[in-house]
Amino acid sequence: MERNVALVTGGLGGIGLVISKVLSENGFHVVAGCRPNSANADKYQGELAMTHPNITVLPFNVGDYHECQRVVLDIEESHGPIKVLVNNAGITKDGQLKKMTEDQWQDVLSTNLDSVFNLTRAALGPMLERQYGRIISISSINGEKGQFGQCNYAAAKAGMYGFTKSLAQEVAAKGITVNTISPGYIETDMIRAIKPEIQEAIKSQIPVKRFGQPEEIARCVQFLADEQAGYITGSNLSVNGGQHMA
Ligand code: CAA
Ligand code: NAP
């Protein structure tokens, strides 16, 4: 029987690991990407082999175009057709623009936006041949509203909307949906890196008065990844506790 394969970039991170687990618990063989030499690969590989044997860990750099092309070909050959692509890998390198270095800009744009092109470009050909696919990119509330200290990150995350709405039009008649999910502040290491007093100030502005949980994003990914979600395309799903109502 042909396997349903899902590729989740950043699939061992705070949100990504829960996405990987939820998809694997719902019938997918999941390839969970992480960085080359990732500490998370050592941390989770053994554990996942016991609890979620249908998750394969695959280290590769999402910012490297050629590596992404090769990885997609390898996955299709060794695991089966990629039916779901979740562009989830991302980083922050916050700072006001007046102090931002070129590296801070390039690293964030490469990991958060070039990656979406790199992987979607690679996965799209086979999806078009099969006339089926689900492409889900994890954007951010800060791509919707902007954020002090995040010109780089907000630009990358906002870029995902233009990419998604354009590609959705190109492939709508081919059985492929393309959507974004825009989480608010979700309790992972990315949030824990913010100074505690700033975290508290942010939390106080969230109507539900708490940060979100990775499960609350993974559930949305599962919904959009479903075969029955075929009429949702070019959409953005905001999941932010009411912090920003677009
Ligand atoms: N609005 C207006 N002014 C602000 C401000 C804000 N939100 N935050 C800081 N400032 C002001 C301060 O009051 C201070 O002003 P004065 O100099 O007049 O006293 C000045 O900015 C301090 O600037 P610095 O550049 O010296 O501050 P810093 O280097 O200590 O910190 C920062 C800058 C790193 C951007 C810090 O403000 C910060 O971490 N902000 C939070 C950014 C944020 O929300 N990041 C989200 C990360 S998680 C994520 O990205 C996931 C997701 O998608 C939601
Ligand atoms: P996280 O725990 O830091 O996870 C980020 C993941 O991205 C990690 O698994 C990391 O790999 C991977 N990654 C980073 N650079 C990479 C590269 N060059 N190549 C391959 N993989 C790379 O962060 P998170 O909170 O789960 O964030 C996941 C996504 O959600 C990000 O796109 C983020 O911008 C977005 N988001 C997060 C929040 C939030 O509040 N947490 C809110 C809105 C949007 P390793 O496992 O090797 O470290």
Side-chain angles (χ1 to χ4, degrees):
M1 199 180 72
E2 193 176 78
R3 290 204 286 190
N4 287 331
V5 176
L7 170 56
V8 182
T9 67
L12 300 180
I15 295 174
L17 182 62
V18 184
I19 295 174
S20 297
K21 286 182 176 175
V22 166
L23 291 179
S24 85
E25 286 157 11
N26 283 276
F28 286 95
H29 182 88
V30 175
V31 177
C34 61
R35 286 169 300 169
N37 309 314
S38 170
N40 278 337
D42 299 334
K43 189 170 162 193
Y44 291 117
Q45 211 147 20
E47 179 192 316
L48 286 172
M50 305 289 285
T51 61
H52 291 77
N54 55 347
I55 298 180
T56 301
V57 173
L58 189 63
F60 68 97
N61 179 5
V62 295
D64 182 326
Y65 177 80
H66 297 288
E67 202 174 353
C68 291
Q69 310 309 298
R70 181 182 54 71
V71 157
V72 166
L73 279 176
D74 287 354
I75 294 171
E76 292 254 336
E77 268 181 34
S78 36
H79 298 291
I82 298 173
K83 299 220 169 142
V84 176
L85 168 64
V86 185
N87 290 308
N88 166 73
I91 57 170
T92 54
K93 293 204 171 179
D94 293 356
Q96 294 187 58
L97 189 73
K98 66 184 181 187
K99 299 184 196 168
M100 190 173 284
T101 64
E102 190 186 357
D103 280 353
Q104 269 175 294
W105 175 264
Q106 295 294 356
D107 290 352
V108 169
L109 267 289
S110 162
T111 305
N112 297 12
L113 186 59
D114 291 352
S115 60
V116 175
F117 168 73
N118 295 344
L119 283 153
T120 309
R121 178 71 181 81
L124 191 65
M127 284 182 178
L128 283 168
E129 274 173 33
R130 294 188 289 267
Q131 301 264 299
Y132 185 83
R134 298 279 179 264
I135 298 167
I136 302 160
S137 299
I138 307 299
S139 181
S140 164
I141 184 174
N142 292 343
E144 296 177 286
K145 70 171 185 57
Q147 170 61 42
F148 186 102
Q150 287 201 308
C151 285
N152 51 359
Y153 184 86
K157 294 299 188 181
M160 286 182 179
Y161 302 136
F163 178 94
T164 294
K165 289 187 239 182
S166 302
L167 181 60
Q169 293 176 41
E170 293 179 16
V171 299
K174 310 287 181 193
I176 301 169
T177 65
V178 196
N179 293 290
T180 51
I181 295 172
S182 296
Y185 286 71
I186 308 299
E187 220 168 300
T188 70
D189 287 348
M190 198 174 262
I191 297 304
R192 293 180 199 113
I194 305 171
K195 285 183 193 158
E197 61 276 20
I198 297 180
Q199 284 190 39
E200 285 314 307
I202 293 169
K203 202 183 283 178
S204 71
Q205 295 160 10
I206 303 173
V208 303
K209 296 295 172 209
R210 64 171 176 83
F211 292 141
Q213 293 301 316
E215 289 73 12
E216 294 175 305
I217 304 306
R219 209 164 293 137
C220 298
V221 172
Q222 182 197 345
F223 173 71
L224 290 174
D226 198 280
E227 276 185 27
Q228 293 188 42
Y231 208 59
I232 306 173
T233 196
S235 287
N236 175 53
L237 184 49
S238 299
V239 189
N240 61 36
Q243 190 184 355
H244 179 72
M245 303 184 191

